[in-house]
Amino acid sequence: MTVVTLAEARAKLSRLVKQVEDGSISEVVIVRNRKRAARLVPISDNRGAGQRLGLLAGRFAPMARDDFDADSRAIGELFTAIENKPKS
């Protein structure tokens, strides 16, 4: 990990992007006013990708299409009842 100030990042952005892209630097942290402000990482770095897929796998019983649509029909009937309600 390389840490640079915002001014350094502005001056060396092309070089930093090239180094991150070719893998010679894993990431660049840009600081502003001594606080971390941003990270420059390669797009191909998928560390966070896919973590949510399968998050609830196995926690709920499989649902058939008819079971899923049953709720839609019940909700639809509620709206129909509201629309047909006499106005007072």
Side-chain angles (χ1 to χ4, degrees), residues 44-66:
S44 62
D45 184 9
N46 292 325
R47 282 184 278 170
Q51 289 180 349
R52 293 189 58 146
L53 292 176
L55 184 67
L56 298 175
R59 294 193 181 195
F60 298 97
M63 199 175 210
R65 175 79 185 207
D66 291 336

Side-chain angles (χ1 to χ4, degrees), residues 48-88:
Q51 289 180 349
R52 293 189 58 146
L53 292 176
L55 184 67
L56 298 175
R59 294 193 181 195
F60 298 97
M63 199 175 210
R65 175 79 185 207
D66 291 336
D67 296 334
F68 184 80
D69 288 340
D71 288 337
S72 297
R73 285 190 295 274
I75 292 170
E77 288 172 8
L78 289 172
F79 281 103
T80 304
I82 292 171
E83 290 173 0
N84 294 333
K85 182 180 177 184
K87 295 181 182 179
S88 43

Side-chain angles (χ1 to χ4, degrees), residues 1-15:
M1 174 178 70
T2 301
V3 180
V4 296
T5 64
L6 186 56
E8 287 176 290
R10 282 187 188 130
K12 302 177 182 178
L13 185 60
S14 294
R15 187 176 1 180

Side-chain angles (χ1 to χ4, degrees), residues 30-59:
I30 301 169
V31 295
R32 180 173 47 187
N33 300 327
R34 297 185 190 122
K35 294 182 183 175
R36 300 175 106 179
R39 284 185 334 148
L40 179 63
V41 296
I43 288 179
S44 62
D45 184 9
N46 292 325
R47 282 184 278 170
Q51 289 180 349
R52 293 189 58 146
L53 292 176
L55 184 67
L56 298 175
R59 294 193 181 195

